[in-house]
């Protein structure tokens, strides 16, 4: 009987030969499936959001439990295999896939359990934002998550995670109470402020550098189930007026109000008048999760009649999925963004001009208001850096795979260079591209980076978890 050989990417850059017997033995030790190319479920397992990502693993394990994860991690470490973790596959840099290596696809671990009395939610690592939001909103509760409901909870949270509730309750990582994680030695550990506190600190912002999370426990807050939110747009001929209103709005906004300014081409959607399809518009996206929404949104109302206005009372879960259509799977995505300490007068026209150059049918440019709770961490605020940031702003170049995106990429890079002088000097690690250098990753942490390196050396000295925005072990 012949033995088939599998060539798998090694941790050090070479190839590791595994026999079919070794693969089969691994499979027998797992509750979940072990896939190779051509198996049923393979295509979905290796599908990620950004079509620019060309990486493909040689093996995929779909764990059904923390024990499965531990078994797969030990196998990868023992054989020196390149290893990656796929939660929702939404990371723009494509860090979910180990090219030629072993990928853990966590999609079978997607359970959510809500304890409304304790105001806690326990979420599996394969959960998408919509899974957690739908479960917690049954009780009028929510935690801080992002804006696109198909984003994976794991990658978003481990990199910090911000969304409509960030100004009230901090980063998503700030709302973690406990985490179960498999570290590079194959151990299943529980981490919290009381258990393995150094690892718990590093996990809250340090990305996937420290292990494979197998359960998140989030703190919940009273939110919804109905909020005031939505999107309204005006002609870019009025962009200066719209942006002036945005400055006024964000300068006095209560923490219950989050506002985003955008420039893009109006989509050919039913709510957009036909004559405005694919015409440039300046838009404001808002979410008010408290009382007095009408009074707090008065500056926006004073702008007068918009091209379209979708702002009103709606379920919080509807707000959370409102911009899903802007970011579907299967498109090329190229982003550049910076944290800002404020919005000086000269920033807004600089952003406006750059955004108009970026504008294409699928691309968009944003300014997101952050200031609030994330600026005020408690005494153990975790590893998330750049907490002085008041805004995050940048450019999202988006185009179909069959189209030529060179012009869009050039416009995004040009716009980014124009706004960099206004930056805090830091950036958001979840928005980094595969092309970004290690110095940009360090800038995402700044004051917390060296401590992260020391904790990395303690829990992953051989850098087994390196298919990410990598933090090298300190030494």
């Amino acid at each position: 009987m012949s033995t088939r050989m599998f060539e798998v990417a090694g941790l050090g850059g070479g190839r590791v030969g595994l026999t079919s017997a070794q693969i089969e033995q691994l499979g027998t030790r797992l509750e979940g499936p072990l896939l190779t190319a051509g198996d049923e479920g393979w295509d979905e397992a290796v599908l990620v959001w950004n079509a620019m990502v060309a990486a493909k693993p040689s093996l995929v394990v779909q764990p059904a439990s923390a024990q499965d994860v531990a078994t797969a991690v030990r196998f990868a470490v023992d054989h020196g295999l390149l290893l990656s973790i796929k939660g929702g596959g939404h990371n723009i840099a494509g860090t979910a896939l180990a090219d030629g290596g072993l990928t853990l696809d966590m999609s079978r671990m997607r359970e959510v359990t809500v304890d409304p009395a304790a105001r806690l939610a326990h979420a599996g690592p394969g959960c998408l934002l919509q899974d957690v939001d739908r479960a917690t909103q049954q009780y009028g509760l929510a935690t801080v998550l992002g804006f696109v409901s198909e984003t994976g909870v794991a990658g978003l949270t481990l990199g910090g995670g911000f969304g409509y509730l960030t100004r009230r309750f901090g980063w998503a990582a700030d709302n973690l109470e406990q985490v179960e994680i498999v570290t590079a030695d194959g151990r299943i550990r529980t981490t919290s402020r009381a258990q393995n506190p150094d690892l718990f600190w590093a996990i809250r912002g340090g990305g996937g550098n420290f292990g494979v999370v197998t359960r998140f426990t989030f703190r919940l807050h009273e939110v919804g189930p109905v909020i005031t939110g939505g999107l309204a747009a005006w002609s870019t001929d009025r962009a200066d007026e719209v942006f002036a209103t945005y400055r006024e709005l964000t300068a006095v906004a209560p923490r219950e109000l989050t506002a985003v300014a955008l420039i893009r081409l109006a989509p050919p959607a039913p709510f957009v008048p036909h004559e405005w399809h694919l015409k440039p518009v300046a838009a404001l996206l808002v979410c008010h999760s408290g009382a007095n929404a009408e009074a707090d949104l008065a500056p926006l109302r004073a702008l007068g009649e918009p091209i379209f206005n979708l702002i009103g009372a709606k379920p919080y879960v509807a707000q959370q999925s409102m911009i899903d259509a802007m970011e579907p799977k299967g498109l090329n995505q190229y982003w550049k963004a910076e944290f800002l300490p404020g919005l000086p007068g000269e920033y807004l026209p600089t952003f406006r001009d750059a955004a108009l150059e970026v504008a294409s049918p699928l691309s968009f440019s944003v300014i997101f208001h952050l200031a609030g709770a994330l600026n005020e961490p408690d005494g153990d605020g975790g590893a998330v850096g750049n907490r002085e940031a008041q805004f995050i702003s940048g450019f999202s170049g988006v185009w179909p795979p069959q189209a030529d995106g060179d012009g869009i990429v050039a416009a995004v890079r040009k716009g980014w260079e124009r706004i960099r002088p206004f930056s805090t000097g830091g950036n958001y690690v979840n928005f980094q591209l595969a092309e970004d250098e290690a110095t940009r990753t360090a800038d995402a942490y700044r004051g917390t980076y060296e401590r992260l390196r020391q904790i990395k050396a303690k829990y992953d000295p051989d850098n087994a978890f390196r298919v990410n925005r990598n933090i090298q072990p300190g030494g």
Side-chain angles (χ1 to χ4, degrees):
M1 185 170 102
S2 63
T3 299
R4 181 183 171 192
M5 293 296 297
F6 289 83
E7 291 290 323
V8 183
L11 199 62
R15 308 291 290 184
V16 176
L18 297 176
T19 66
S20 55
Q22 289 174 308
I23 302 296
E24 288 168 8
Q25 184 181 34
L26 172 61
T28 62
R29 296 164 58 200
L30 298 170
E31 183 182 352
L34 170 61
L35 307 178
T36 59
D39 289 342
E40 183 179 355
W42 173 265
D43 290 344
E44 180 64 25
V46 300
L47 177 65
V48 293
W49 168 71
N50 186 1
M52 292 185 73
V53 177
K56 288 290 184 290
S58 293
L59 301 170
V60 171
V61 169
Q62 294 181 317
S65 65
Q67 188 57 56
D68 271 4
V69 173
T71 297
V73 168
R74 291 192 198 100
F75 183 86
V77 170
D78 289 347
H79 293 277
L81 306 182
L82 191 67
L83 175 67
S84 71
I85 319 302
K86 180 190 175 190
H90 208 269
N91 182 270
I92 191 169
T95 57
L97 301 181
D99 196 22
L102 170 62
T103 289
L104 304 190
D105 169 23
M106 312 299 285
S107 59
R108 290 177 178 258
M109 298 178 68
R110 202 170 163 176
E111 68 286 345
V112 182
T113 304
V114 180
D115 183 341
R119 292 194 178 182
L120 295 175
H122 309 284
C127 284
L128 307 183
L129 306 196
Q130 60 188 326
D131 300 326
V132 177
D133 286 331
R134 290 170 181 169
T136 59
Q137 279 291 281
Q138 294 182 41
Y139 306 96
L141 300 172
T143 194
V144 178
L145 296 172
F147 308 94
V148 178
S149 72
E150 295 182 351
T151 301
V153 167
L156 175 115
T157 302
L158 295 176
F162 70 90
Y164 294 117
L165 301 181
T166 292
R167 289 179 30 73
R168 291 185 68 182
F169 306 120
W171 295 96
D174 292 339
N175 289 270
L176 282 174
E177 289 291 322
Q178 190 182 83
V179 166
E180 182 184 79
I181 185 172
V182 176
T183 46
D185 56 6
R187 289 180 57 187
I188 303 171
R189 304 173 188 259
T190 299
T191 69
S192 65
R193 287 175 173 82
Q195 298 174 273
N196 300 301
D198 58 343
L199 183 56
F200 187 62
W201 178 89
I203 288 167
R204 288 175 288 151
N209 276 280
F210 302 92
V212 187
V213 173
T214 51
R215 186 183 66 247
F216 295 88
T217 299
F218 290 100
R219 187 183 322 126
L220 300 176
H221 312 274
E222 289 188 10
V223 174
V226 176
I227 54 86
T228 298
L231 181 71
W234 296 262
S235 167
T236 49
D237 291 343
R238 299 184 62 193
D240 290 348
E241 185 183 356
V242 173
F243 286 163
T245 297
Y246 181 71
R247 284 183 70 192
E248 175 188 351
L249 192 70
T250 55
V252 298
R255 293 188 178 185
E256 292 83 3
L257 172 59
T258 292
V260 186
L262 304 95
I263 284 182
R264 63 162 297 152
L265 301 187
F271 58 83
V272 179
H274 187 270
E275 63 271 21
W276 281 98
H277 287 187
L278 300 181
K279 299 289 178 60
V281 295
L284 296 179
L285 172 65
V286 300
C287 178
H288 195 299
S289 57
N292 305 313
E294 285 301 315
D296 292 334
L297 291 171
L300 186 153
R301 307 292 189 192
L303 277 168
E305 193 65 26
I307 296 166
F308 62 84
N309 184 2
L310 305 178
I311 298 173
K314 55 176 55 69
Y316 177 68
V317 290
Q319 178 78 17
Q320 282 289 85
S321 60
M322 186 176 180
I323 63 171
D324 284 6
M326 290 175 60
E327 298 192 11
K329 286 183 179 179
L331 298 175
N332 289 336
Q333 304 274 350
Y334 188 89
W335 296 359
K336 290 289 186 181
E338 295 290 321
F339 284 128
L340 306 178
L343 290 181
E346 60 270 28
Y347 181 78
L348 294 173
T350 301
F351 171 80
R352 175 203 63 207
D353 292 347
L356 288 171
E357 292 184 23
V358 169
S360 68
L362 297 169
S363 302
F364 56 97
S365 304
V366 298
I367 307 171
F368 191 97
H369 190 205
L370 294 174
L374 69 82
N375 298 143
E376 302 170 359
D378 59 24
D380 180 28
V384 181
N386 296 283
R387 283 189 178 267
E388 76 278 19
Q390 302 288 303
F391 295 85
I392 186 169
S393 184
F395 309 96
S396 300
V398 188
W399 68 100
Q402 66 273 19
D404 182 358
D406 290 350
I408 292 175
V409 169
V412 168
R413 293 192 63 85
K414 180 180 177 182
W416 174 57
E417 293 293 350
R418 291 169 74 174
I419 69 169
R420 289 185 76 184
F422 299 94
S423 173
T424 63
N427 66 89
Y428 181 42
V429 70
N430 281 351
F431 284 178
Q432 290 181 9
L433 300 171
E435 69 179 27
D436 288 325
E437 296 180 354
T439 53
R440 191 152 172 83
T441 301
D443 288 342
Y445 298 105
R446 300 169 78 194
T448 64
Y449 188 65
E450 285 306 316
R451 184 179 175 190
L452 281 167
R453 293 188 67 217
Q454 298 308 312
I455 298 173
K456 174 78 168 179
K458 176 179 177 180
Y459 289 97
D460 186 15
D462 297 320
N463 203 11
F465 299 108
R466 66 178 63 183
V467 184
N468 45 41
R469 298 308 300 165
N470 196 232
I471 297 169
Q472 292 280 334

